[in-house]
Amino acid sequence: MASTDGLVPITRAYLASYYDKYPFSPLSDDVSRISSQIRSSANDLLNHLPPTQDESLLVHEADREPPHKIDENMWKNREHMEETLFLLETSNWPAVLQQQSTPDDVEFATVFSQLKDKIQNTLKILEFFQHKNSDRVFDTVMTYMPQDFRGTLIRQQRDRSERNKQAEVDALVNSGASIRDRYALLWKQQMERRRQLAQLGSATGVYKTLVKYLVGVPQVLLDFLRQINDDDGPMEEQRQRYGPPLYSLTTMVISIRLFLLVLWGRFDAGNSKRQQVAVLEKAIDVYTSEFERFIKFMGEVFANSPFLVSAEVAGALEPGKGDDYKEISVPAGRTHEVSLIVDSVNSYIAWDFSLVQGKMNMDIGFSVEFTNSSGEKSLILPYRRYESDQGNFCTCMVGNYKLSWDNSYSTFFKKMLRYKVDCIPPVAEPVESVTEE
């Protein structure tokens, strides 16, 4: 296998040369033109009636510069799409429009339903993009992890962490929280994921324990994870290249939502409804088509991006490096035991063992037993004979877990056992607020 000697983390200059191959065709001029037009239309409506508190908050957000981070802008677009879809629900239409008492209102109702379908489709495309990209980054990182039970445990920890995050979101929704509150939580969770990667790279915080078990992970990966999101690090090149068009789209979707919100509050006033609906229809047409084009482009960039060096380039683990298996001879009629003291529930106990075979195929008995603080014993894994086995389980009790390899049934033959066992504590969810990538 290839050595990782001489490799360095992906640099901003390296990404710059890569991004040179992927120039983004500028957004349509309609984006800036219609954004200005729809914002001006919203201001005209606000001049007829002072803004409500919700409208004022949205005006302030529309006046601010979009976030600098690429992924924060993605979440902002997703949030405002959902908020716009909420406004386009029939039950949230102005009362006069719900009644559809005039031919114009019937026509408007059809247009709004079509606009809702367009935004819903764009939202699904964005959700798929985020999910796919998240999995790709994690899977790429995992290609560098030791290809034994330790990698499996990291995946299980991640899956459990994601389930906990989803449960947190569900609880917030069930409590009656707003879309804005839900997205504030989703962004906080996203930043927690970023910090966990940084902790993995620097071996700090709750990940210090885990990194102890990742013997053999190329240092280039850990260095990259530690500095990837520095203010002037590799991702800043991405922000400078592809941030401006995304910032324009973020501004546009906020303006669309603002216009629709103030339109609903003043729909029965004035005689320019047809012109107002036409402006909204054009804005959503341009926004959805340009946003989908941008997402498709970014998907192509990310699919081939060298953010993390490929396993083929970096090479897998060097032979023998990080090989922390133990070998022991278990004499005939004897048993070898390993005891693990578990202080935290939801820890993972894992094992990987095999017999060094000679001319004859041999096996050895294996079982796992638990003893609590009162001395009561219970069988976790029943006795069975194996040539080799790999497995793990999540603990639900603290105490002493004893792994036993039994050769007591053998009269003549010793067994050469090659094994590795570990107890990996749960990865605690960070509780501090996160403000930076």
Side-chain angles (χ1 to χ4, degrees), residues 29-44 248 251-252 255-256 259 279 283:
D29 291 339
D30 287 341
V31 171
S32 59
R33 180 179 62 82
I34 296 176
S35 292
S36 298
Q37 183 181 359
I38 199 169
R39 180 60 194 274
S40 176
S41 298
N43 290 338
D44 289 342
S248 295
T251 298
M252 188 174 196
S255 297
I256 288 172
F259 176 75
V279 170

Side-chain angles (χ1 to χ4, degrees), residues 301-360:
V301 174
F302 288 168
N304 302 298
S305 71
F307 298 165
L308 299 173
V309 215
S310 69
E312 291 78 13
V313 173
L317 306 182
E318 296 179 29
K321 186 177 180 180
D323 187 354
D324 52 353
Y325 283 86
K326 295 180 180 179
E327 287 194 4
I328 187 170
S329 176
V330 185
R334 302 291 296 272
T335 298
H336 178 67
E337 299 177 347
V338 173
S339 291
L340 300 172
I341 303 299
V342 174
D343 297 321
S344 303
V345 297
N346 292 326
S347 297
Y348 275 97
I349 289 180
W351 61 88
D352 185 8
F353 70 85
S354 60
L355 294 179
V356 180
Q357 300 290 356
K359 295 181 180 179
M360 301 175 55

Side-chain angles (χ1 to χ4, degrees), residues 190-235:
Q190 179 70 0
M191 295 307 293
E192 287 172 357
R193 295 182 186 97
R194 290 293 181 87
R195 182 168 61 178
Q196 288 170 352
L197 281 177
Q199 287 178 331
L200 182 59
S202 59
T204 61
V206 294
Y207 274 89
K208 184 177 293 185
T209 306
L210 281 181
V211 173
K212 170 187 174 183
Y213 297 96
L214 300 182
V215 178
V217 178
Q219 186 61 41
V220 61
L221 174 64
L222 298 179
D223 291 343
F224 175 80
L225 293 175
R226 185 179 62 252
Q227 54 88 55
I228 182 62
N229 286 302
D230 289 348
D231 288 342
D232 197 36
M235 290 301 97

Side-chain angles (χ1 to χ4, degrees), residues 124 299 304 383 394 399-400 423 435:
K124 289 179 180 179
N304 302 298
Y383 178 94
C394 183
N400 182 23
C423 176
T435 58

Side-chain angles (χ1 to χ4, degrees), residues 79-142:
E79 174 186 348
H80 288 289
M81 277 190 250
E82 277 207 39
E83 292 279 15
T84 303
L85 287 171
F86 176 76
L87 291 172
L88 288 172
E89 292 285 349
T90 307
S91 59
N92 294 319
W93 289 358
V96 64
L97 184 59
Q98 292 186 38
Q99 295 169 6
Q100 298 185 33
S101 56
T102 69
D104 280 353
D105 288 342
V106 173
E107 181 182 346
F108 294 155
T110 301
V111 170
F112 291 136
S113 295
Q114 293 171 345
L115 296 179
K116 179 183 174 185
D117 291 341
K118 286 184 178 182
I119 295 176
Q120 186 68 64
N121 182 66
T122 304
L123 177 62
K124 289 179 180 179
I125 291 173
L126 174 55
E127 290 172 341
F128 177 77
F129 168 85
Q130 289 181 308
H131 178 74
K132 184 177 180 180
N133 194 52
S134 176
D135 284 347
R136 186 189 70 83
V137 171
F138 182 78
D139 289 342
T140 304
V141 172
M142 290 304 296

Side-chain angles (χ1 to χ4, degrees), residues 360-378:
M360 301 175 55
N361 287 335
M362 296 182 178
D363 56 23
I364 192 167
F366 179 65
S367 62
V368 181
E369 181 183 75
F370 170 72
T371 305
N372 65 18
S373 59
S374 301
E376 299 173 344
K377 298 181 178 182
S378 56

